[in-house]
Amino acid sequence: MSTQFAYTPIDEIPRIHADLRKSFRAGTLKSIEARRTQILQLAYLLQDNYDRFKTTFAQDLGRPSLEVAFLELNSTIGDCKIAYDRVAKWARTESAPFNVNFAAFRPVIRKEPKGVVLSISPFNYPVWLALGPMIGAIAAGNCFVLKPSELSPATSGLIAELIPKYMDPGVVRVVFGSVPETTKLLELPWDHILYTGNGRVARIVCAAAAKTLSPVSLELGGKSPVVIDPRCDLKTAAKRIMWGKCVNAGQTCVAPDYILVQEDAQDMVIQALKEAHDEFYPNGAAASPDFSHIINQMHFNRVRGLLEKTSGTAVFGGQTDEARLFVAPTVVKGVKGDDSLMSEELFGPVLPVVPVKDVDEAIEFINERDHPLALYVFSQDSSFKNKVFDNTQSGTAVANDTLIHCATDGLPFGGIGASGSGHHGRKFTFDMFTHLRASLDSPSWIDIILGSRFPPYNASLLL
Ligand code: NAD
């Protein structure tokens, strides 16, 4: 059953914005209990419609049910539970650290909502990246507008259908649509905009936000490298790299984008990757129910085009099927820095292997490019890991695994430079949408000590 949901009429958008502003001013989410009720409703929305979401994911991305459960639905329900349990603690007013010079002012930091916030989300994790920010924004007491991706129409449409049934329309609204609807949204002043997606659109968002002085956080992508120490546990490494690349057919912002390894270890690494691939998909990925397809024709053409232009050698994979938007997991050997496969984030199941002389050359290769969203190192040697981490910059630095850091409770998720700015994930999403309002209460008697601050000044008091 395909879910069709109509785009939001453009002339309704300013009214949605005005309604939420009115609701925010009326204090709809002032109390922690009101926030918890909405967070709980969001968890019910997912729980009650679990199977419908599995169907929409299959329609949009051919996504296997287990991946949908593990990486989208359960993790988002888990984030609801964390926020529900911890929101009172997160929102508690904090005393400033004790300082005898200022203690009399009773300085505190009030955790206040920013107001009415907007989140524009991408197609690749259409539940987790659409509803995760909503949880943190509501926990912080904001009213929230979601613009989910039109490229995953079944899942985004289902979200647009269900939000009004489960959530208070004075708290959350969905604007469903594509560029014209987003352009209209961006003409309005927001108390915060979170944009998750590619760098080209991020520039459009920032330019529009500059006109209304709306603060922006950017969760972007880029090419996340993997540096392999040839002495590492290669069998485990290959499995984890291949998994990170094949989940959602490589359409993950932190998917390992390319491998850097010493030239004389290249074949050994490729052999291990091939074994991992064959273990995952014994009859090939095309025949497997556990492998997704590329989101649409445009992205399929883009990935296929990059593969056609490479001067490296596809050592396995390389098959494509346009009718099914299928690209096989493909490992390409002997890729150089100026290759087509190194020209942009691949966002598909293609894994170039770039041979380097040694770890120093790998570090130089990374530092010559934009700071990646994730940097992976596979090594059991701490000096190897530290050398790579200490001499590079990236959103996250992960040793001996891939992707898993996004779900790790307590860790911020975000990029640096071209891979983004700002952090999200549970408490960090709450912080993103929270205004730290400095506050103090000065007693009258303090002027016995500080009375000399008032004119006429007495210069003799200067030391
Ligand atoms: P997308 O095409 O779904 O676009 C993202 C959003 O931008 C959508 O809501 C879309 O409607 C909107 N948009 C598109 N064109 C626009 C325009 N001209 N003006 C205003 N809004 C517009 O997804 P995408 O951008 O292709 O997503 C993939 C990218 O996102 C990759 O680079 C990936 O690495 C990155 N990503 C980052 C994170 C993160 O948390 N850092 C997570 C997921 C994806």
Side-chain angles (χ1 to χ4, degrees):
M1 183 190 65
S2 112
T3 308
Q4 296 291 339
F5 205 82
Y7 282 5
T8 307
I10 291 197
D11 56 5
E12 250 184 45
I13 292 172
R15 206 171 58 238
I16 291 172
H17 180 266
D19 285 353
L20 287 184
R21 199 158 283 298
K22 207 163 139 200
S23 169
F24 179 75
R25 286 208 197 97
T28 313
L29 281 184
K30 268 258 182 272
S31 78
I32 297 296
E33 266 331 293
R35 301 178 196 182
R36 292 173 107 193
T37 303
Q38 292 304 307
I39 293 166
L40 198 58
Q41 282 298 111
L42 195 51
Y44 284 135
L45 180 157
L46 291 168
Q47 194 69 63
D48 294 351
N49 297 282
Y50 208 86
D51 290 337
R52 285 188 75 192
F53 276 110
K54 282 188 174 172
T55 307
T56 62
F57 272 94
Q59 287 166 353
D60 286 332
L61 287 148
R63 199 101 185 260
S65 304
L66 190 102
E67 258 185 40
V68 176
F70 176 41
L71 297 172
E72 298 265 359
L73 303 178
N74 296 359
S75 45
T76 312
I77 293 170
D79 284 357
C80 286
K81 182 166 175 358
I82 287 174
Y84 184 90
D85 290 342
R86 301 182 193 167
V87 58
K89 188 167 169 231
W90 293 345
R92 201 173 291 150
T93 296
E94 252 177 51
S95 297
F98 179 78
N99 180 325
V100 71
N101 293 328
F102 301 102
F105 296 124
R106 286 162 288 168
V108 294
I109 303 163
R110 296 163 59 101
K111 312 279 186 66
E112 300 206 347
K114 289 194 167 176
V116 181
V117 301
L118 168 68
S119 174
I120 303 170
S121 60
F123 71 82
N124 61 329
Y125 285 75
V127 163
W128 188 53
L129 292 172
L131 303 187
M134 190 184 291
I135 300 166
I138 292 173
N142 298 275
C143 293
F144 186 89
V145 172
L146 169 67
K147 211 306 282 171
S149 180
E150 70 281 16
L151 300 193
S152 47
T155 308
S156 296
L158 182 57
I159 290 173
E161 178 202 316
L162 294 174
I163 288 285
K165 295 183 181 161
Y166 282 80
M167 310 291 290
D168 178 348
V171 171
V172 176
R173 301 288 285 273
V174 177
V175 168
F176 190 33
S178 61
V179 176
E181 291 75 13
T182 319
T183 305
K184 187 75 201 169
L185 281 165
L186 289 170
E187 285 170 10
L188 301 166
W190 299 92
D191 298 308
H192 201 97
I193 300 173
L194 167 61
Y195 173 74
T196 310
N198 66 69
R200 183 187 62 80
V201 176
R203 286 168 174 81
I204 297 172
V205 171
C206 287
K211 292 193 181 144
T212 56
L213 284 185
S214 303
V216 180
S217 295
L218 300 172
E219 298 294 345
L220 311 178
K223 294 182 81 63
S224 296
V226 182
V227 181
I228 298 186
D229 173 356
R231 300 158 300 163
C232 75
D233 171 1
L234 204 50
K235 189 174 159 59
T236 306
K239 246 178 139 162
R240 293 175 182 185
I241 295 165
M242 214 53 203
W243 173 70
K245 192 70 194 182
C246 291
V247 161
N248 206 18
Q251 299 163 108
T252 303
C253 54
V254 285
D257 192 90
Y258 64 97
I259 289 177
L260 291 163
V261 68
Q262 246 173 257
E263 183 144 28
D264 56 8
Q266 192 181 200
D267 288 337
M268 190 171 78
V269 167
I270 289 170
Q271 181 56 30
L273 292 168
K274 170 96 175 74
E275 283 164 21
H277 167 274
D278 293 350
E279 206 179 304
F280 292 173
Y281 312 112
N283 301 312
S288 171
D290 298 333
F291 190 74
S292 308
H293 63 68
I294 300 296
I295 186 74
N296 61 19
Q297 185 75 42
M298 189 270 282
H299 279 288
F300 173 84
N301 292 344
R302 183 185 59 74
V303 177
R304 185 173 58 181
L306 292 170
L307 255 180
E308 282 166 358
K309 281 189 241 129
T310 182
S311 50
T313 314
V315 277
F316 68 86
Q319 306 83 355
T320 58
D321 178 352
E322 187 165 354
R324 296 171 48 209
L325 301 175
F326 167 80
V327 176
T330 303
V331 171
V332 183
K333 179 181 166 175
V335 172
K336 303 240 166 44
D338 58 358
D339 193 89
S340 60
L341 296 178
M342 293 306 297
S343 63
E344 62 181 65
E345 179 182 359
L346 293 169
F347 228 53
V350 178
L351 187 56
V353 181
V354 179
V356 285
K357 197 160 65 304
D358 52 24
V359 65
D360 295 298
E361 193 178 320
I363 290 169
E364 204 180 306
F365 192 91
I366 294 164
N367 288 336
E368 279 166 355
R369 289 164 173 76
D370 287 339
H371 300 323
L373 186 56
L375 171 57
Y376 301 110
V377 177
F378 283 84
S379 176
Q380 270 67 52
D381 174 353
S382 350
S383 62
F384 187 99
K385 284 180 274 194
N386 290 338
K387 183 166 191 178
V388 177
F389 291 159
D390 291 349
N391 292 289
T392 54
Q393 287 177 279
S394 61
T396 48
V398 176
N400 295 313
D401 217 320
T402 63
L403 314 194
I404 218 88
H405 57 286
C406 306
T408 305
D409 189 15
L411 289 186
F413 182 60
I416 175 167
S419 57
S421 56
H423 295 101
H424 70 117
R426 298 157 285 271
K427 165 77 158 60
F428 299 97
T429 314
F430 172 92
D431 291 343
M432 176 187 288
F433 293 118
T434 293
H435 172 56
L436 300 181
R437 193 174 183 196
S439 184
L440 59 76
D441 186 355
S442 181
S444 302
W445 62 260
I446 203 81
D447 287 347
I448 300 167
I449 304 164
L450 290 182
S452 55
R453 64 182 154 151
F454 303 121
Y457 299 133
N458 180 353
S460 70
L461 289 175
L462 287 176
L463 291 178

